[in-house]
């Protein structure tokens, strides 16, 4: 094994990038700006104890740094504490939330529900929850992902990396919020451990890749080189350049940025979020007079496809209704499925479909009973996401059985397939006109 370095000790991020400077590549192509307001919430326990150690000026520093990183994506975060963008909230449940790979879905459900409900109070804003953590001492970690309704952060001085305050943490978690994964699939303590693991996995460094982007190097995720000046490691005779300087790696660097493909993903997910109020969900609590019909529980018949129930807890923060969907495995245009459901009380209803977006999903049209088909609905996304509400219009529905027919009508050029996923149908009773 060989380590190759640049010949100098790298300064820590907070010292290397003055406030207001850009961490984006200097020749990044200009793109129309997407502006996202930030809503910061400082969390304390129900009794006011263990309040998160964060102040508006510290939030502003984190936001400023993140804006430098995401300038290449045309994304600008706006934090305005003078006009309500910084507030306090008491919730022991939220204040104690911690990421735990061994947690069961049930153990995290209550926290996730309260976080989702809290985030929903700030439509159109990127909600950032600053919490203390589970124990008496403050945590230093944060987390988010593409389906999360918010970013969860620690106090500003509570988080360190390479023995310094971690000025890059918020930019990193913002990347997760806007659809970026880590550059590494596995974490290794040492180069020797990574070398052995690569050997065990067959010797192809591609096994280390997680994000799937061609312009980010496969990252062996080696802790012992994280705070060093090492630029390349040799594993089993193969030189691997490290993605040092990438905000989604765990590698110290005087500047951080994103690759062009990462920038495109951030922009796509940012638009998806902005079009849906920033916290899209298929599982928002149903209001009075709303009937929720879980597609996977309803009888169906199909032509040109097969279908099955699919658990969705591995794909996000409890944002699918019932945490399941009906996965429809079509492979051609014209394939269709008809779902039958019962209406208990006849009347006028607003009919909404909730589905799934994915890289191999097609374009569908939806027809209720013998009515006209809907306009085309494109279910493609570069990652697995919820569709949020797809309105099908107001309909007069008599008491008794009805049919919802979904037909594959096309495929966008970015999609790798024709499949689609149906989560639920919501019938919202309307007042008689």
């Amino acid at each position: 094994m060989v380590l190759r370095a640049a010949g100098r000790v790298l300064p820590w991020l907070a010292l290397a990038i003055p406030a207001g400077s850009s961490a984006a590549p200097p020749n990044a192509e200009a793109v129309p700006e997407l502006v996202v307001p930030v809503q910061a919430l400082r969390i304390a326990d129900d009794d006011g104890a263990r309040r998160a150690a964060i102040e508006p000026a510290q939030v502003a520093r984190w936001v400023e740094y993140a804006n430098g990183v995401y300038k290449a994506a045309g994304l600008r975060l706006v934090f305005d504490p003078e006009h309500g963008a910084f507030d306090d909230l008491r919730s022991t449940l939220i204040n104690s939330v911690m990421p735990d790979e061994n947690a069961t879905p049930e153990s995290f459900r209550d926290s996730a529900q309260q976080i989702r409900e809290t985030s929903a109070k700030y439509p159109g804003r990127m909600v950032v929850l600053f919490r203390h953590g589970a124990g008496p001492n403050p945590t230093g970690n944060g987390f988010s992902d593409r389906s999360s309704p918010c970013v969860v952060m620690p106090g500003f001085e509570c988080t360190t990396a390479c023995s310094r305050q971690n000025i890059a943490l918020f930019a990193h978690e913002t990347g997760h919020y806007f659809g970026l994964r880590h550059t590494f699939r596995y974490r290794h303590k040492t180069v020797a451990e990574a070398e052995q693991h690569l050997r065990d996995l067959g010797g192809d460094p591609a096994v280390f890749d997680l994000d799937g982007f061609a312009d980010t190097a496969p990252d062996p995720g080696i802790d012992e080189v994280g705070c060093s000046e090492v630029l390349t490691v040799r594993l089993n005779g193969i030189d691997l350049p490290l993605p040092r300087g990438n905000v989604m790696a765990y590698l110290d660097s005087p500047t951080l940025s994103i690759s062009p493909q990462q920038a495109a993903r951030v922009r796509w997910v940012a638009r998806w979020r902005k079009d849906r109020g920033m916290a899209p969900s298929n599982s928002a609590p149903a209001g009075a007079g709303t009937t929720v019909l879980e597609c996977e529980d309803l009888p169906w018949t199909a032509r040109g496809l097969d279908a099955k129930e699919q658990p969705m807890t591995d794909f996000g923060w409890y944002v699918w209704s019932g945490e399941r969907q009906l996965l429809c495995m079509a492979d051609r245009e014209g394939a269709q499925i008809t779902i039958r459901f019962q209406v208990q009380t006849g009347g006028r209803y607003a009919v909404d479909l909730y589905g799934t977006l994915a890289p191999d999903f097609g374009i569908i049209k939806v027809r209720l009973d013998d009515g006209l088909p809907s306009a085309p609905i494109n279910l493609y996304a570069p990652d697995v996401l919820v569709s949020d509400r797809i309105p099908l219009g107001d309909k007069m529905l008599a008491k008794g059985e009805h049919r919802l027919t979904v037909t594959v009508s096309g495929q966008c050029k970015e999609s790798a397939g024709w499949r689609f996923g149906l989560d639920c149908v919501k019938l919202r009773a309307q007042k008689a006109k």
Side-chain angles (χ1 to χ4, degrees):
M1 55 189 173
V2 177
L3 303 182
R4 298 183 178 179
R8 63 183 178 87
V9 177
L10 293 173
W12 177 240
L13 298 170
L15 303 179
I17 300 184
S21 65
S22 172
N27 297 319
E29 182 180 351
V31 293
E33 190 173 66
L34 286 173
V35 178
V36 174
V38 172
Q39 176 67 47
L41 296 177
R42 179 170 54 188
I43 312 300
D45 287 345
D46 294 340
D47 61 2
R50 299 191 317 137
R51 192 178 76 171
I54 189 71
E55 297 296 334
Q58 295 169 326
V59 178
R61 286 184 62 189
W62 259 332
V63 169
E64 183 177 38
Y65 185 88
N67 278 334
V69 173
Y70 295 104
K71 184 177 181 180
L75 179 69
R76 181 165 63 91
L77 307 178
V78 176
F79 175 60
D80 186 3
E82 298 299 320
H83 293 87
F86 186 91
D87 206 352
D88 286 289
L89 175 69
R90 292 188 178 188
S91 168
T92 301
L93 192 61
I94 296 178
N95 201 30
S96 302
V97 68
M98 295 287 290
D100 184 354
E101 294 179 356
N102 299 316
T104 63
E106 290 74 19
S107 67
F108 191 55
R109 183 178 286 108
D110 289 345
S111 299
Q113 180 177 344
Q114 191 170 124
I115 287 172
R116 187 172 62 239
E117 291 173 354
T118 298
S119 300
K121 296 177 181 178
Y122 302 92
R125 298 189 179 192
M126 174 183 174
V127 174
V128 185
L129 305 177
F130 295 91
R131 87 300 189 209
H132 177 90
N137 297 320
T139 184
N141 70 14
F143 61 94
S144 189
D145 72 17
R146 67 195 185 280
S147 70
S148 171
C150 64
V151 175
V152 178
M153 290 287 291
F156 188 80
E157 298 291 350
C158 301
T159 177
T160 61
C162 301
S163 302
R164 301 285 183 180
Q165 191 281 333
N166 192 351
I167 193 64
L169 180 62
F170 177 67
H172 180 90
E173 301 306 337
T174 294
H176 287 314
Y177 179 82
F178 287 116
L180 299 184
R181 289 178 166 85
H182 289 132
T183 53
F184 53 86
R185 182 175 294 274
Y186 308 103
R187 294 283 301 280
H188 304 100
K189 293 182 180 179
T190 65
V191 173
E193 182 181 318
E195 190 168 42
Q196 182 60 53
H197 195 193
L198 179 60
R199 191 177 299 119
D200 294 342
L201 294 173
D204 184 353
V207 299
F208 289 148
D209 179 64
L210 178 63
D211 62 21
F213 296 126
D215 59 358
T216 60
D219 183 355
I222 304 172
D223 291 345
E224 76 171 342
V225 302
C227 293
S228 75
E229 56 190 21
V230 173
L231 301 178
T232 305
V233 296
R234 176 171 290 178
L235 303 180
N236 302 328
I238 303 172
D239 287 336
L240 296 183
L242 300 176
R244 195 174 294 280
N246 192 290
V247 73
M248 301 313 294
Y250 283 0
L251 298 166
D252 187 20
S253 175
T255 58
L256 291 178
S257 62
I258 53 177
S259 73
Q261 290 183 18
Q262 286 177 314
R265 178 63 55 83
V266 166
R267 191 166 179 83
W268 200 103
V269 175
R271 285 189 176 278
W272 168 76
R273 282 190 176 275
K274 283 181 68 69
D275 289 346
R276 294 163 175 82
M278 295 304 292
S281 177
N282 291 357
S283 62
T290 299
T291 301
V292 180
L293 305 168
E294 297 292 347
C295 293
E296 65 274 6
D297 293 335
L298 298 172
W300 54 268
T301 56
R303 185 182 70 200
L305 63 82
D306 196 8
K308 66 177 182 180
E309 178 183 317
Q310 181 184 23
M312 300 303 292
T313 50
D314 289 343
F315 294 95
W317 275 55
Y318 310 98
V319 289
W320 276 268
S321 178
E323 299 165 26
R324 301 168 295 155
Q325 72 162 352
L326 182 65
L327 176 62
C328 301
M329 296 167 284
D331 61 4
R332 60 180 175 84
E333 186 173 347
Q336 68 176 35
I337 190 168
T338 298
I339 297 172
R340 299 187 300 278
F341 63 92
Q342 296 289 325
V343 171
Q344 300 301 321
T345 303
R348 179 174 293 277
Y349 292 87
V351 182
D352 299 322
L353 174 66
Y354 292 77
T356 299
L357 313 179
D360 59 348
F361 279 15
I363 299 171
I364 62 171
K365 290 185 178 181
V366 182
R367 186 176 76 251
L368 184 61
D369 294 328
D370 295 321
L372 296 174
S374 70
I377 302 167
N378 186 1
L379 297 180
Y380 166 80
D383 210 330
V384 180
L385 302 166
V386 293
S387 71
D388 207 340
R389 184 173 74 96
I390 302 173
L392 300 179
D394 285 8
K395 309 289 183 182
M396 284 298 300
L397 300 178
K399 179 179 178 180
E401 184 175 274
H402 293 268
R403 306 181 313 280
L404 190 78
T405 300
V406 181
T407 304
V408 177
S409 63
Q411 177 190 45
C412 72
K413 63 180 181 180
E414 296 87 1
S415 178
W418 305 84
R419 308 198 305 172
F420 56 95
L422 305 176
D423 187 4
C424 68
V425 176
K426 295 183 181 181
L427 307 178
R428 293 180 290 120
Q430 305 296 293
K431 293 181 178 180
K433 295 182 178 180

